Amino acid sequence: MHGFFLLHVSHTHGKKHSADARAFSFIKILNLMQNMSHPPQMLFVENVVGFEVSDTHDQLLEVLSSLNFNLQEFILSPLQFGVPYSRPRYFCLAKREPMLFQNVSFNSKLLRTPMCLSQTVNSASQDSDHRTEEELDRVCKPVKDFLVKEADGGIHNETILQDYIVPLNLIERWGNAMDIAYPESKRCCCFTKSYYRYVKGTGSLLATSENVKCVPEEKLGISSLKELGLRFFTPREIANFHSFPSSFSFPDHISLRQQYAMLGNSLSAAVVGPLLRYLFAEA
């Protein structure tokens, strides 16, 4: 085998498609592949949802077809793997002939289920694209299972108050735009690289006050929000949502904001792991 490429590239939902500067590096790689004497034998591509309807996606399929690749495409989220984290992403797996996938009937199809990964994921994940929201909630673990506990060498109350508590002025300004997660919640929003710097559209905040019931955000006033004890999820907790191992840690010189930025651009190991095992499995 001459090689394996994993492409984790930025793209856009907008009208620019391949004209968007963030697509240039991806298109450059596609052009290089066509001129290689020994192209990679396997390819793994990850991108945002919306890539599948872009002209850059069309170029990807054209190049893979010209190089005799079999491919299977997915849109999957950690929610389908029992993790209460809503982060749907596009994935493309490709094998160059004569290599085949274990389930060849799914070639050249866009799948929204981990069903064909049945040999690499547990039965709770099967047919998850057909599950209702209530059924997915039953599959997912609660947010509290992903929180850092002091008994595990985690954060202490003083650190939470100093570094992670949401300032009241942010609640007053952006309270109506905040997504609130509770310890018993079965999902939270995707964390972006701007999390901790901004609160609008960058990820969920955790309600920490005891005896506070889960209330829809649209029914919460600013005064109620202030009583929730809102804090940012810590980098370690976000790493948990990404299914990173407990041994994972950042070097001491990496600042808190840098940690959030890198985690926001990261991959979900719960999703990528089974996909890679499926890609490398022999037919």
Side-chain angles (χ1 to χ4, degrees):
M1 185 171 70
H2 294 292
F4 161 70
F5 274 13
L6 190 156
L7 302 180
H8 170 45
V9 292
S10 296
H11 203 268
T12 175
H13 299 276
K15 297 179 180 179
K16 291 184 178 180
H17 296 284
S18 59
D20 189 284
R22 292 172 294 178
F24 289 169
S25 60
F26 184 77
I27 294 173
K28 179 67 173 180
I29 292 174
L30 294 181
N31 292 333
L32 289 173
M33 284 178 58
Q34 296 180 90
N35 298 315
M36 288 180 177
S37 57
H38 298 292
Q41 300 298 293
M42 294 184 185
L43 195 71
F44 184 103
V45 179
E46 184 264 2
N47 217 310
V48 296
V49 175
F51 174 79
E52 73 281 3
V53 295
S54 69
D55 61 354
T56 310
H57 173 262
D58 295 339
Q59 293 182 52
L60 170 65
L61 299 192
E62 182 179 343
V63 169
L64 293 183
S65 176
S66 69
L67 295 174
N68 299 315
F69 275 92
N70 295 308
L71 64 92
Q72 295 183 5
E73 300 175 282
F74 301 82
I75 291 180
L76 299 174
S77 172
L79 291 170
Q80 296 167 291
F81 295 80
V83 180
Y85 183 38
S86 180
R87 192 179 190 273
R89 288 295 185 270
Y90 164 89
F91 300 93
C92 175
L93 312 184
K95 287 186 174 185
R96 199 173 186 210
E97 295 180 351
M99 290 189 295
L100 300 172
F101 285 100
Q102 288 183 321
N103 298 293
V104 295
S105 62
F106 295 114
N107 284 0
S108 301
K109 293 182 179 179
L110 179 62
L111 307 175
R112 298 177 182 271
T113 171
M115 181 176 62
C116 74
L117 310 178
S118 58
Q119 296 181 5
T120 59
V121 300
N122 60 47
S123 59
S125 299
Q126 305 312 307
D127 294 321
S128 52
D129 61 329
H130 301 302
R131 292 180 182 272
T132 64
E133 184 170 327
E134 291 76 16
E135 289 172 327
L136 270 178
D137 283 351
R138 287 199 295 270
V139 171
C140 283
K141 299 176 182 177
V143 164
K144 65 181 181 181
D145 287 4
F146 296 79
L147 302 180
V148 174
K149 302 175 179 61
E150 289 189 33
D152 299 326
I155 54 178
H156 298 280
N157 288 336
E158 292 182 1
T159 305
I160 292 176
L161 290 174
Q162 179 180 353
D163 293 333
Y164 302 109
I165 203 74
V166 180
L168 292 180
N169 66 315
L170 290 183
I171 296 176
E172 292 171 353
R173 183 175 181 182
W174 301 108
N176 293 332
M178 293 176 176
D179 181 83
I180 311 301
Y182 298 81
E184 299 297 333
S185 297
K186 294 297 185 73
R187 67 182 62 210
C188 61
C189 290
C190 178
F191 300 102
T192 74
K193 65 180 181 181
S194 297
Y195 189 71
Y196 191 71
R197 290 195 297 144
Y198 304 102
V199 296
K200 182 180 179 181
T202 62
S204 299
L205 301 170
L206 179 67
T208 63
S209 295
E210 296 182 2
N211 302 319
V212 174
K213 296 182 179 180
C214 180
V215 179
E217 281 83 349
E218 61 270 17
K219 295 184 179 180
L220 282 171
I222 298 300
S223 59
S224 298
L225 285 171
K226 292 180 179 179
E227 297 174 0
L228 294 181
L230 296 178
R231 71 164 174 87
F232 293 95
F233 285 92
T234 70
R236 177 63 254 182
E237 289 166 343
I238 295 178
N240 291 342
F241 285 121
H242 282 282
S243 301
F244 287 7
S246 58
S247 58
F248 171 82
S249 64
F250 285 102
D252 292 338
H253 70 276
I254 304 298
S255 71
L256 192 59
R257 287 194 175 187
Q258 288 175 320
Q259 292 178 38
Y260 281 117
M262 287 186 280
L263 288 166
N265 281 321
S266 190
L267 297 166
S268 168
V271 180
V272 171
L275 285 170
L276 286 176
R277 286 193 292 271
Y278 176 64
L279 175 63
F280 282 101
E282 297 182 1

